Amino acid sequence: MSTFSAPKGTYDLIPPDSADFLAVREAISAPLRRAGYGYVETPGFEQVELFARGVGASTDIVTKEMYTLTTKGGDELALRPEGTASVLRAALQANLHRGALPVKLWYSGSYYRYERPQAGRYRHFSQVGAEALGAEDPALDAELIILAVDAHRSLGLRNVRLLLNSLGDAACRPAYRAALQDFLRGLDLDEATRERIEINPLRVLDDKREAVQRQLTGAPLMRDHLCEGCAAYHEQVRTLLTAAGVAFEDDARLVRGLDYYTRTTFEFVHDGLGAQSAVGGGGRYDGLSEMIGGPALPSVGWALGVDRTVLALRAEGVTLPTPSPTDVYAVPVGEEARGVLFGVLTELRRAGVAADFAYGGRGLKNAMKSAGRSGARYALVLGERDLAEGVVQLKDLHSGEQAPVALSSAVAEIRAKLS
Ligand code: HAM
């Protein structure tokens, strides 16, 4: 142990667990790549103002959870708390929206929120996300949701539920917001919540406290206030999902923690995770581009939490197949054999065989133990006498059988055996 440990709310990914994280990232991104999404990577920090305007100045993320800093040059920066605002900023900066639409992008990376740490809630976490920019088409909303569902399925997750809602648009949300505010002002609420009614009344619907939830029965719901356009759009998304065999639950109370959403909003939840049950979420954000100074660019996207997806796999007892990282473990006995076998090791690797070596000059017994622990199928043992005879011992670690093979053809023989 060193004097230091990982900062509060963070943890290190180390083998063998880290393999699950890679597998989850791969499983989430594979369906996206097949559907024409291109990889985008943006800086880990951006101007504070991008998130203040994009995510919403009154959200918890912006008011309480951002890691902000002032650079020596006086710039106000924030570690990115989410990916959507950055990805849209990058696409606009590169003028991608002037080309063919929609622009479809996916990303994978670390995000930072100064939250109260608890199981499934970290200050540094990992998301894989997807954004489709510049098209208003219910099929695009459905496509994204289906791709997330397919990712969950490919991982073997069975208990992810999809919650679906529509938050309306600039035409119908203002009247709903006013109706909701009228209702909320009549309730018995604490000062902070009363303030929230004036700034962000939809967030009050998301208040988890029992005393608040009890009073919310009978609150007006967006679904009853959708304009014709939003209602028809939502119905089409629902129809497309049903046709694709995707089960969803209509959740008229679903509001998300970010302010940019319009129309389709959704969350993937897993009941085996306790309080932090959202394994992913997203929706349409038709006004975000304009909020950050761009042209009108109706868009939709989601982000799935990698950490929580791994927790969901554990909760369901799903173990991902982890192919042995090593097929061959090379064990030299003696200095001269060492040099020769190291050459064979390099050749094996160049021929595409996963191979490792008994480093550190340990004795044969110790080295063979390491060979067993490595999960390798074969041990390749070279001693002084083998060397003199121009052979190397190939030991099948499953059956225990051992036979000499010519040094000159060892690589070819091993390749043939492994294929
Ligand atoms: P979000 O709901 O804030 O949405 O985050 C998406 C997912 O990231 C969550 O469902 C959760 O799995 C994971 N996550 C969030 N915060 C934490 C945390 N503190 N610890 C562990 N996991 C966490 C967004 O970030 C939007 N940008 C999604 C989106 C993309 N909307 C449109 N496009």
Side-chain angles (χ1 to χ4, degrees):
M1 178 110 170
S2 88
T3 322
F4 303 101
S5 49
K8 187 175 172 192
T10 73
Y11 62 101
D12 302 306
L13 278 182
I14 44 180
D17 292 357
S18 49
D20 287 345
F21 282 73
L22 287 182
V24 165
R25 288 191 187 115
E26 172 60 28
I28 298 174
S29 57
L32 294 169
R33 295 194 303 261
R34 287 194 294 270
Y37 288 73
Y39 181 66
V40 61
E41 196 165 316
T42 64
F45 48 81
E46 298 270 355
Q47 288 173 51
V48 168
E49 194 55 21
L50 173 69
F51 300 117
R53 283 211 240 161
V55 175
S58 71
T59 58
D60 281 355
I61 292 181
V62 168
T63 56
K64 301 183 194 156
E65 296 169 5
M66 273 203 302
Y67 284 88
T68 53
L69 61 115
T70 308
T71 66
K72 292 192 179 72
D75 291 329
E76 300 284 336
L77 301 178
L79 297 187
R80 56 184 182 188
E82 63 105 44
T84 309
S86 312
V87 167
L88 183 54
R89 194 259 322 128
L92 292 172
Q93 188 175 335
N95 279 321
L96 298 186
H97 60 292
R98 302 244 163 93
L101 297 177
V103 178
K104 302 210 275 188
L105 301 168
W106 77 273
Y107 51 95
S108 172
S110 296
Y111 296 86
Y112 307 87
R113 294 183 193 175
Y114 188 75
E115 297 199 75
R116 200 165 42 78
Q118 64 181 87
R121 188 163 69 190
Y122 311 107
R123 290 180 172 174
H124 167 267
F125 57 97
S126 168
Q127 290 183 342
V128 174
E131 315 290 347
L133 314 174
E136 200 180 330
D137 183 339
L140 200 53
D141 305 38
E143 164 176 294
L144 275 160
I145 293 174
I146 293 166
L147 292 171
V149 169
D150 288 352
H152 290 141
R153 284 185 187 166
S154 78
L155 281 165
L157 284 170
R158 288 175 310 272
N159 302 330
V160 180
R161 292 187 291 126
L162 166 60
L163 309 179
L164 187 67
N165 194 18
S166 172
L167 288 180
D169 65 4
C172 52
R173 179 108 58 89
Y176 167 67
R177 190 176 185 271
L180 180 63
Q181 281 175 320
D182 272 353
F183 174 87
L184 295 173
R185 285 186 195 118
L187 304 183
D188 177 20
L189 299 166
D190 58 89
E191 198 49 44
T193 313
R194 301 198 77 78
E195 275 170 28
R196 184 170 272 181
I197 297 174
E198 305 313 317
I199 306 163
N200 199 340
L202 269 73
R203 295 289 303 154
V204 180
L205 292 180
D206 207 25
D207 199 311
K208 302 280 183 286
R209 290 170 299 178
E210 166 64 18
V212 178
Q213 276 302 323
R214 212 175 328 113
Q215 297 186 69
L216 291 175
T217 340
L221 295 172
M222 186 70 236
R223 94 170 148 215
D224 302 320
H225 290 74
L226 291 178
C227 59
E228 226 172 274
C230 284
Y233 192 96
H234 196 55
E235 205 38 51
Q236 286 187 60
V237 174
R238 295 174 80 257
T239 305
L240 289 163
L241 290 178
T242 306
V246 170
F248 57 87
E249 297 166 33
D250 291 307
D251 183 351
R253 289 276 181 87
L254 178 72
V255 289
R256 308 247 312 118
L258 307 97
D259 279 355
Y260 47 62
Y261 291 109
T262 50
R263 293 194 164 174
T264 314
T265 41
F266 51 88
E267 216 153 77
F268 295 98
V269 293
H270 194 281
D271 296 323
L273 299 187
Q276 303 308 313
S277 61
V279 291
R284 188 154 268 289
Y285 46 93
D286 293 340
L288 179 56
S289 173
E290 285 145 301
M291 286 192 253
I292 63 167
L297 201 66
S299 305
V300 56
W302 52 242
L304 305 188
V306 176
D307 312 75
R308 289 189 198 163
T309 304
V310 171
L311 291 176
L313 287 167
R314 302 218 170 110
E316 287 196 25
V318 179
T319 44
L320 298 175
T322 40
S324 161
T326 308
D327 290 320
V328 177
Y329 197 92
V331 178
V333 185
E335 253 335 284
E336 208 188 335
R338 199 172 166 71
V340 173
L341 197 57
F342 189 76
V344 176
L345 169 85
T346 304
E347 247 188 275
L348 276 170
R349 288 177 175 164
R350 287 182 177 156
V353 175
D356 207 350
F357 194 73
Y359 291 105
R362 288 159 296 161
L364 179 63
K365 207 169 143 198
N366 255 332
M368 288 311 285
K369 260 196 209 159
S370 300
R373 271 199 293 261
S374 74
R377 178 68 201 270
Y378 296 104
L380 201 56
V381 186
L382 185 67
E384 301 294 327
R385 197 191 305 154
D386 300 317
L387 200 54
E389 291 171 11
V391 296
V392 59
Q393 303 294 327
L394 184 63
K395 180 168 184 178
D396 185 324
L397 292 171
H398 289 184
S399 67
E401 274 169 36
Q402 182 173 318
V405 294
L407 253 177
S408 55
S409 60
V411 172
E413 272 195 49
I414 291 169
R415 278 192 69 184
K417 276 183 187 289
L418 284 170
S419 59

